[in-house]
Amino acid sequence: MKHFPYDVFLSHRIGDNAHELRDQLVACGCTVWFDQNRPLLDRQLFPLIQKAHAESRVTIAYISPGLAPSPWTVLEMLTALRSEQLFGIKCLFVYGPSDALELLRTWSLPEELGSALADPERRLEAEVTLFASRVGGLNRELLPHSSVAPLSRARCIARLRRSIDGYRRRPVETADLSLSPDLPAEITGRFAESHRLRVASAALAWMEGNEEEHDFQYQSFGLRELERHLSEASVDRTPEDVALLSALCGCLVGAGRVDARAEGMYMLKAMLSGAGRRRANRLLNWSLKREPDWSLIQLFIPEADGSGSQAWPGQLPGLEAALLLSDGAPPREALAHIGPDVRMRVDTRRQMEPEDLPLKYRLELELHWLRVLTSQVREAGEKQIKLNTFDARIGMQMIDVELLHRKLNALLAQEFETATSAELEDVLDSIVHAERDLIETSERHDGAPLTSFAEYFIDHLLPILGLGILIGRQPQEFKRLGERCCSIFSTYTRLDSQEFKTYHAFWSACLEWREAHGPGLAKHLLRRTRTHGFQAELLSLLLAPDSDLL
C-alpha cells in the first residue's frame, strides 16, 4: 500500500485526448485517477473529485490546442500549486503538444498558475516513461502498520534464546557484594544477573506462548527500574549484559501491545549511559521509527538525541502509516516528524474549494450550475413530468435557483470592485444568455424552475437585471427578461400585482438614468452591500413625488 492511492490525478477538459496519456501512464505502472470524460452535471460528483485529488501524489494538466482550461481544471491546478507552496514538494506538471503549450500565454489564467505552467521543468512532452518511473518512486510504500511480522518475531525469539544461553555459559566472576555505595546493599552483582536472566527467560516463555502476559509485564517493570538505578549509580555492564538486555528489549519493542513496547523503550532509555549506550540508542531509534503510536513516541524523542552512532531520524515511517490509516486529524506536534508528502496527504487545507478560484471562474461555475439545472428541468418537462409541484421542486432541487442567484449577486458585487468595464460587460453577457435559457424553460414548463424562488426574486435576480440595464451591453434585453419574469410570476404564483408595477418602474428608471448619464451605477437605484451583493432601492421609487405606485 502506498502513501497515496493514486500516483497521478489527470486534469483535463471533456472531449480531449487525455485518455491516451492515461493509457501510457497505466502501461508504465502508474495508478491514475481519470474521470472517464464524465460531464460534471451533478454537484454530488464534486466531493468525489475533491477526494481523488487529495489522494493523488501529483497532478498532470493535459493541455489541448482548441480547449482553454475550464474552471474545474484551473481549480485542480491551483490546488496542486498551492500544495507545493505549503509543503515544498513538486505536485503540478503539464502535458500537451508544443502548439498547445504555446497557447498558455494567450489564456487569461491566474498569474501564479500562468508562471508555473511556463516552467519548462514541469513539461513532460515525450518523457512520459521517465516521469512514470520517477512518480512511482515519489509515492512511497507504507510501512506495515503492525510492527510484529511473523519473521521478525521468530528472529527475536532466536536472538533472545541465543543471548540467554550465552549469558548462562559465561564465566561467573561476580561477587555477592553491593555494586555501588549509592545502591541498597541487597542490589549485588549476583542479584542483578539472576534478575536479568529470570526476566529474559520469562520473556522467552511469553514470546513462545507459555507465560501469562500480566506476570511477565510485572517482572519486566522490576528489571527496568533495576537498570535505571544501576545507570544512575554509574555501574558498568558487561558485553553479555548488553547483549541479553538488547535482545530482551528487541522482543518488547516489537510487541503488539503498546504497554509492552513502552516497557522496552523505557528499558533502552535506562541503558543510555555507560557500556552499551550506542547499541541502546540505535535500537531506540529503530523502534521509534516503526512505532505507530504518537503518544508513546513523544515520551522518548528527547532521549534519541543522535549522540550515538546513528542520528535521530527526521521521519517516522511507523507514525506516517498510522496517520494515513487514521480517520482523525493528526496531532499538530506529530507533523514535524513525518515527510512532506505525508503532511500533504493528511493536511485538510489541501481540499479543492471553489472559493480558491479567481472571481471570473467562480462566476463561470455558478452559471454552469444554473445551466445544468435549467437543462435538467427542460428534459423532465419534455418527458411530460409535472414540474410545478412541491415534490418535483424538492426532487430536482429547484431551490438551487435561489442559491445560485444569491451567489451570483454577491460575486458580481465583488467583481464590480476590481474588474474593468469591458470585463463586467463580458460577465453580464454570459449572465443574459443563462437567464434567457432559464426564463424560456420556465415559460414552457409551468413556471419551473423560476417560480421556485419567486419570493426571493426581489433580493437576488431583480438587482442583477438592474445592473445589466445600467452597465451591460444589452440594456433592453435585460429589461425584457425582467418583464418576462413578471409574466411568469403573475401566471403561476400569488404575488401581489402591485409588486410587478414596482419592478417595471425600477427597470424603467434604470433605463432612463442610463440614457441620460451613460453606463454607470445609479446609487439611488442600486446599492452595493458588503455581504449580500447588490440591492435594489425600490423605496426611492415609491416615495418619488410623481410616483403612481402608492
Side-chain angles (χ1 to χ4, degrees), residues 289-419:
K289 286 178 68 174
R290 286 155 179 77
E291 175 57 47
D293 195 310
W294 170 246
S295 62
L296 181 55
I297 292 171
Q298 61 185 340
L299 296 175
F300 297 95
I301 284 179
E303 308 303 329
D305 56 5
S307 55
S309 60
Q310 272 192 336
W312 163 244
Q315 296 178 13
L316 301 171
L319 177 63
E320 291 178 340
L323 293 180
L324 289 172
L325 295 172
S326 172
D327 295 330
R332 184 178 299 274
E333 300 83 2
L335 297 179
H337 300 281
I338 61 178
D341 54 339
V342 181
R343 288 201 302 274
M344 182 173 72
R345 177 77 174 83
V346 301
D347 197 288
T348 56
R349 294 172 295 175
R350 193 173 174 244
Q351 292 292 334
M352 293 192 304
E353 297 295 345
E355 289 73 17
D356 296 331
L357 281 170
L359 284 172
K360 167 189 172 182
Y361 294 101
R362 292 171 64 186
L363 281 162
E364 191 173 335
L365 275 182
E366 298 306 323
L367 289 174
H368 164 78
W369 290 123
L370 182 58
R371 287 190 289 265
V372 166
L373 178 59
T374 302
S375 175
Q376 291 173 345
V377 171
R378 184 166 55 247
E379 291 174 3
E382 291 171 355
K383 295 176 182 178
Q384 306 301 317
I385 297 175
K386 190 171 180 59
L387 298 172
N388 198 13
T389 65
F390 178 80
D391 290 340
R393 292 181 183 184
I394 296 298
M396 301 193 67
Q397 298 180 321
M398 293 188 199
I399 191 61
D400 282 358
V401 175
E402 185 261 323
L403 300 175
L404 289 168
H405 283 92
R406 182 195 298 267
K407 290 183 179 180
L408 276 176
N409 190 6
L411 290 173
L412 273 173
Q414 295 179 48
E415 182 83 350
F416 191 85
E417 296 178 358
T418 57

Side-chain angles (χ1 to χ4, degrees), residues 63-66 95-107:
I63 306 299
S64 300
Y95 178 88
S98 55
D99 55 340
L101 296 176
E102 289 300 322
L103 284 174
L104 286 172
R105 302 174 184 175
T106 65
W107 292 327

Side-chain angles (χ1 to χ4, degrees), residues 75 105 140 146 193 218 255 257 279 315 324 329 380 450 465 481 532 534:
L75 180 57
R105 302 174 184 175
R140 297 181 289 147
S146 172
E193 290 174 358
Y218 180 76
R257 290 183 50 140
R279 190 169 183 177
Q315 296 178 13
L324 289 172
L450 186 64
L465 297 174
L481 291 177
H532 302 294
F534 288 102

Side-chain angles (χ1 to χ4, degrees), residues 389-529:
T389 65
F390 178 80
D391 290 340
R393 292 181 183 184
I394 296 298
M396 301 193 67
Q397 298 180 321
M398 293 188 199
I399 191 61
D400 282 358
V401 175
E402 185 261 323
L403 300 175
L404 289 168
H405 283 92
R406 182 195 298 267
K407 290 183 179 180
L408 276 176
N409 190 6
L411 290 173
L412 273 173
Q414 295 179 48
E415 182 83 350
F416 191 85
E417 296 178 358
T418 57
T420 64
S421 58
E423 290 172 337
L424 285 170
E425 289 171 349
D426 291 340
V427 170
L428 289 167
D429 283 347
S430 300
I431 289 176
V432 79
H433 286 98
E435 299 295 353
R436 185 187 297 123
D437 191 23
L438 171 70
I439 292 168
E440 289 176 354
T441 299
S442 301
E443 288 172 337
R444 296 174 183 173
H445 301 292
D446 300 328
L450 186 64
T451 52
S452 62
F453 85 122
E455 296 179 2
Y456 301 97
F457 173 81
I458 186 175
D459 299 313
H460 309 311
L461 183 51
L462 178 66
I464 293 175
L465 297 174
L467 184 68
I469 295 172
L470 289 170
I471 65 173
R473 294 192 182 101
Q474 308 174 61
Q476 294 287 352
E477 179 62 16
F478 276 99
K479 185 173 184 292
R480 281 192 292 271
L481 291 177
E483 292 169 347
R484 292 168 70 181
C485 287
C486 289
S487 176
I488 293 171
F489 290 145
S490 64
T491 304
Y492 297 104
T493 70
R494 297 180 180 180
L495 292 180
D496 191 339
S497 60
Q498 188 68 23
E499 289 189 38
F500 305 138
K501 293 182 180 180
T502 307
Y503 300 157
H504 284 291
F506 172 72
W507 294 317
S508 298
C510 289
L511 193 58
E512 291 173 4
W513 190 91
R514 173 166 181 158
E515 291 173 351
H517 301 89
L521 187 63
K523 294 183 179 180
H524 67 289
L525 296 172
L526 202 62
R527 180 168 59 91
R528 191 170 79 248
T529 65

Side-chain angles (χ1 to χ4, degrees), residues 174-176 186-198 226:
T174 307
D176 196 17
E186 63 269 17
I187 300 182
T188 64
R190 288 182 183 174
F191 172 81
E193 290 174 358
S194 63
H195 195 50
R196 287 167 182 156
L197 191 57
R198 183 168 60 253
L226 172 63

